[in-house]
Amino acid sequence: MTSSNHSSDDSSRASSGIDRRELMRRAGMAGAGAGMVSIAGCGGQNDDGTTTQGTTGSSDGSGGSGVADDSFANYVTANPTNWQFNHFNFTQPFSHPMQTDMLQRWVISTNEFSDYAVSIDEFDSQNERAVLSVRDGLTWHNGDPGDPVTGEDLMAWFVCHAAVNSTVAGLYNASDIEVTGERQIELPLDGSVNESIFRQSLNNFWLNVPYHRYGEYVERFMDATSDEERNSVRTDLRSASFEEPFGNGPFKFVSRSSNRLRMELYEHHPDADQINFDYWDVIRASTDTASVVLGMAPEGDIDMVRNFTPPQSVLNQAKQNDGLLTNQLPALWGQALPFNCGHEDFGNIRVRQAIAELIDRDLVSRNYGEFGVPVQAPSGLVGNINGQNEQTDRWTRWVTDEGEEQLHRYQNPERGRRLLREEGYTKQGGKWMRPDGTQLSMPIKVPAGYTDWHPIYQTISSLLTDEGIDSEVKMIDATSYYPNHYLEGNYVAASTGWTLGRDNPWYTFGQWFRPLADKVYKMNFKPTEVKVPPIGEPDGELQSVDVLQLFQNVRNASEENLQEAITEFAWVANQFIPMLPILEINDTAWMTSDDWNWEPAKDDAAWQSKWPQWWFPRMGLMNAKSN
């Protein structure tokens, strides 16, 4: 890695290197235009057993445009020919982060936001309106150059997210969105929305809803006058399958085979001049991620794995490889144990609480490894871990001092056993028996390919088995786990992340409690039926709570009142526990540095944005080394 001596300001750092990179790019244009090159990451076996190679280029695998490698490759385990390109459909969707542009950039460590594909021109909470614009010069990949990305496309983005009930949809009224300029819309807010919540709502999203592709669903949803009609749009949008890719990012789709999807630099992107290589490949490789990261350098086909939490032994080996670069950033999430709240046993809040008491989160954390810590007070509050993988109490900033003390910690197995007995369960011969005389059972579904998750759920299953509850981990193919199991509520207990990669609790509460139609479908309960004990009385009598009002209180709170509103909702999350947060983790990003420059020093704040591998090429902070 080459360290930078520039200031920490990203824009000044990027602009200082443009001239050099532009010269490199222009010097290599003739070679790049001659055809596809034979490069690292380009080879692979076709279905007939033949080898895929480029048609021209240097025989040693170096790039044909004056750089050591003319193609950067990231890693997947799925067959690219199985992908379809409607990202609202959870069955084999594909939308690459270099093929479409992110709405904005957020630096986690400094809480700084930068407009990217979209800018917020005005935000008027008092008058319940926001004005947003598309970046000037952004075009779709449907020409040379393609059509401009317009306000109509931005409207389509917000309408379609409302149609599928994304968490962001709780902040605005989709039916009243107006296109007010060629690249601009006016967004009517749903009340006096908190500005920091709105700003965070744009994180981790891409501008990937072109009106020319999604217009049918947009118009139907805007014209819908009943829940039945809106549900019909949602169903159709979730099931639609697009065979043709689309994009507006710096790389454009070229081709795909069973082992590789290839994109080429799109010269008309506003940031194309920051990039000095011509291809971005998506390479299918082993499901054993540990072997993939250890094989990336010096001669591997793969140049990056976005994030992978390794066993200590793998990390130790990686540190001995000079061609490998790793860096950490806050995950803003961790693994959880979701319950099927419609289940005859785990639909009972007291049984869920009992299970929470019986699971030793400290032990689970130790078995997971150094990159995770136990959640201290399971309630949807981010901030349990720092950058050194140490336990912190930053999560307490979201709630009042009294509220923090009242949140239950779930560290008392004897209370768990008492709760089971009070609900009619008995322990006989070392086994917990249900009131009907059968053994209490809690199988846990886990994606088979998420190997770094497996120690977590295997430990949980072992703890419950030792306690006398029949439990086993059921491995589910990763391509079907979310669409056919978790998101359909097709499980007894499952596995997922407990936040949406944002630190404001409003988004965690949305993931846990925001209904689709009349229920939180992935956990099978109706928000109108939520009951919890009074604040500060975990064993108190259950009382009904108005979840939708709690959402409104947080969403519309002023900065001065936000902590109080979150405190009230955090208690409900802590007691109802539709899912049990187990760990909060740090992410480890993996890159090769033998053929690639990564300019910021590892302690630079530029790394603290998801994800550096997507941002740095756009910013001129990553480039191919010279031949």
Side-chain angles (χ1 to χ4, degrees):
M1 184 187 76
T2 57
S3 298
S4 169
N5 294 320
H6 301 294
S7 72
S8 60
D9 178 74
D10 292 333
S11 59
S12 65
R13 187 195 300 107
S15 62
S16 67
I18 290 175
D19 293 341
R20 172 178 59 82
R21 278 181 283 276
E22 179 65 0
L23 280 172
M24 289 180 69
R25 278 193 47 72
R26 291 178 179 174
M29 278 298 100
M36 189 181 296
V37 293
S38 178
I39 54 171
C42 181
Q45 283 207 322
N46 295 322
D47 292 336
D48 60 3
T50 58
T51 300
T52 301
Q53 294 289 350
T55 57
T56 67
S58 57
S59 60
D60 62 0
S62 61
S65 55
V67 293
D69 195 342
D70 205 28
S71 172
F72 190 79
N74 69 269
Y75 155 70
V76 294
T77 60
N79 181 341
T81 62
N82 292 334
W83 292 332
Q84 56 84 28
F85 299 95
N86 173 21
H87 51 88
F88 292 112
N89 180 344
F90 293 130
T91 302
Q92 300 272 36
F94 184 78
S95 180
H96 197 277
M98 297 304 291
Q99 192 176 338
T100 54
D101 272 357
M102 290 161 276
L103 302 188
Q104 66 182 13
R105 181 169 180 259
W106 174 44
V107 179
I108 299 166
S109 58
T110 62
N111 199 37
E112 294 176 358
F113 295 88
S114 302
D115 297 331
Y116 193 62
V118 170
S119 61
I120 301 176
D121 301 334
E122 299 177 43
F123 187 87
D124 186 350
S125 179
Q126 184 175 356
N127 290 305
E128 302 179 4
R129 62 185 288 274
V131 177
L132 299 93
S133 294
V134 174
R135 182 183 185 181
D136 190 19
L138 205 60
T139 57
W140 295 108
H141 298 162
N142 61 350
D144 189 21
D147 297 329
V149 183
T150 66
E152 196 171 47
D153 298 313
L154 186 55
M155 175 196 69
W157 190 93
F158 281 101
V159 171
C160 285
H161 277 278
V164 299
N165 203 44
S166 296
T167 301
V168 64
L171 301 176
Y172 57 87
N173 298 312
S175 59
D176 296 326
I177 298 173
E178 292 185 22
V179 178
T180 53
E182 184 179 347
R183 296 182 293 107
Q184 189 177 77
I185 66 168
E186 181 168 319
L187 191 71
L189 303 176
D190 191 5
S192 53
V193 172
N194 179 283
E195 185 171 2
S196 64
I197 288 178
F198 182 83
R199 188 79 204 206
Q200 270 210 14
S201 75
L202 304 184
N203 286 343
N204 306 327
F205 279 121
W206 285 258
L207 187 54
N208 53 4
V209 188
Y211 183 86
H212 67 260
R213 186 68 62 90
Y214 288 91
E216 170 196 347
Y217 308 100
V218 171
E219 297 304 326
R220 285 176 55 196
F221 191 80
M222 297 279 277
D223 292 342
T225 58
S226 67
D227 286 342
E228 182 179 2
E229 290 177 343
R230 283 183 282 271
N231 289 340
S232 176
V233 177
R234 179 181 302 117
T235 298
D236 292 346
L237 180 54
R238 284 291 194 201
S239 60
S241 180
F242 298 163
E243 297 306 313
E244 293 297 322
F246 57 87
N248 52 41
F251 284 87
K252 176 181 178 179
F253 173 85
V254 175
S255 62
R256 58 173 165 164
S257 68
S258 61
N259 291 310
R260 186 190 72 180
L261 181 142
R262 163 154 284 199
M263 297 177 287
E264 66 181 357
L265 186 65
Y266 179 59
E267 297 287 345
H268 303 290
H269 188 271
D271 294 326
D273 286 346
Q274 300 278 25
I275 299 168
N276 75 330
F277 56 98
D278 292 310
Y279 300 102
W280 192 294
D281 289 334
V282 181
I283 302 290
R284 179 188 183 188
S286 167
T287 57
D288 181 4
T289 310
S291 69
V292 171
V293 296
L294 292 176
M296 291 197 321
E299 300 296 336
D301 290 341
I302 308 299
D303 295 305
M304 66 159 277
V305 173
R306 191 196 68 178
N307 63 297
F308 168 61
T309 304
Q312 188 62 47
S313 60
V314 173
L315 188 63
N316 292 340
Q317 293 179 66
K319 290 177 179 178
Q320 306 304 312
N321 189 334
D322 291 338
L324 273 181
L325 173 65
T326 63
N327 210 348
Q328 286 183 210
L329 68 162
L332 303 179
W333 69 282
Q335 293 83 357
L337 183 75
F339 298 100
N340 183 340
C341 296
H343 187 269
E344 54 187 338
D345 294 308
F346 303 104
N348 185 330
I349 181 178
R350 296 304 188 186
V351 175
R352 297 198 299 274
Q353 290 180 344
I355 296 296
E357 300 280 18
L358 294 172
I359 294 173
D360 183 346
R361 299 190 301 281
D362 288 306
L363 176 61
V364 176
S365 173
R366 292 195 297 274
N367 288 349
Y368 178 71
E370 68 173 282
F371 296 101
V373 301
V375 171
Q376 295 179 56
S379 49
L381 305 180
V382 172
N384 292 269
I385 191 171
N386 66 14
Q388 292 72 48
N389 303 317
E390 299 166 335
Q391 191 93 49
T392 71
D393 61 358
R394 288 185 302 109
W395 60 272
T396 63
R397 75 191 189 280
W398 294 111
V399 291
T400 64
D401 291 344
E402 183 181 13
E404 180 261 316
E405 293 176 0
Q406 291 171 333
L407 291 173
H408 192 66
R409 271 35 177 194
Y410 292 103
Q411 296 172 326
N412 186 350
E414 281 305 317
R415 178 175 182 259
R417 297 175 186 119
R418 172 175 61 79
L419 290 174
L420 286 177
R421 288 192 293 268
E422 290 175 353
E423 297 304 312
Y425 297 82
T426 57
K427 198 164 190 179
Q428 304 172 20
K431 298 180 179 180
W432 279 103
M433 310 304 290
R434 304 171 67 245
D436 66 1
T438 60
Q439 186 179 6
L440 179 60
S441 176
M442 197 183 80
I444 306 169
K445 290 186 176 180
V446 179
Y450 293 15
T451 55
D452 51 329
W453 290 22
H454 295 173
I456 297 170
Y457 299 99
Q458 289 163 346
T459 302
I460 292 172
S461 177
S462 178
L463 286 167
L464 296 178
T465 299
D466 291 346
E467 178 62 34
I469 297 170
D470 181 28
S471 181
E472 64 174 325
V473 173
K474 291 182 173 291
M475 296 295 180
I476 307 296
D477 179 77
T479 60
S480 65
Y481 173 77
Y482 277 99
N484 299 333
H485 296 268
Y486 175 63
L487 291 176
E488 289 299 318
N490 177 22
Y491 60 87
V492 178
S495 52
T496 196
W498 58 268
T499 78
L500 293 172
R502 302 168 178 86
D503 64 352
N504 192 298
W506 190 82
Y507 298 98
T508 309
F509 300 153
Q511 181 183 353
W512 293 19
F513 289 97
R514 183 170 170 77
L516 179 63
D518 66 341
K519 71 174 183 177
V520 181
Y521 64 109
K522 55 185 174 283
M523 287 174 282
N524 291 322
F525 70 89
K526 295 183 177 182
T528 55
E529 298 174 354
V530 171
K531 294 183 178 182
V532 299
I535 293 180
E537 302 176 29
D539 289 322
E541 184 176 347
L542 300 182
Q543 301 174 347
S544 296
V545 294
D546 188 339
V547 169
L548 298 183
Q549 184 63 52
L550 292 175
F551 271 120
Q552 183 174 325
N553 294 345
V554 175
R555 180 191 65 205
N556 296 345
S558 64
E559 290 299 324
E560 294 77 18
N561 297 326
L562 185 60
Q563 192 181 57
E564 191 68 44
I566 289 174
T567 297
E568 187 177 6
F569 209 151
W571 172 259
V572 174
N574 175 253
Q575 292 298 300
F576 191 73
I577 48 171
M579 66 170 66
L580 175 67
I582 304 294
L583 305 179
E584 188 174 335
I585 68 173
N586 279 329
D587 279 323
T588 302
W590 299 76
M591 295 74 60
T592 58
S593 56
D594 49 355
D595 292 335
W596 306 94
N597 290 314
W598 301 85
E599 295 197 1
K602 290 181 70 173
D603 61 354
D604 194 300
W607 287 95
Q608 303 300 304
S609 185
K610 293 191 172 181
W611 290 89
Q613 301 101 319
W614 312 140
W615 283 115
F616 285 9
R618 290 172 160 97
M619 300 166 67
L621 301 180
M622 168 269 194
N623 57 78
K625 293 181 179 179
S626 300
N627 258 335

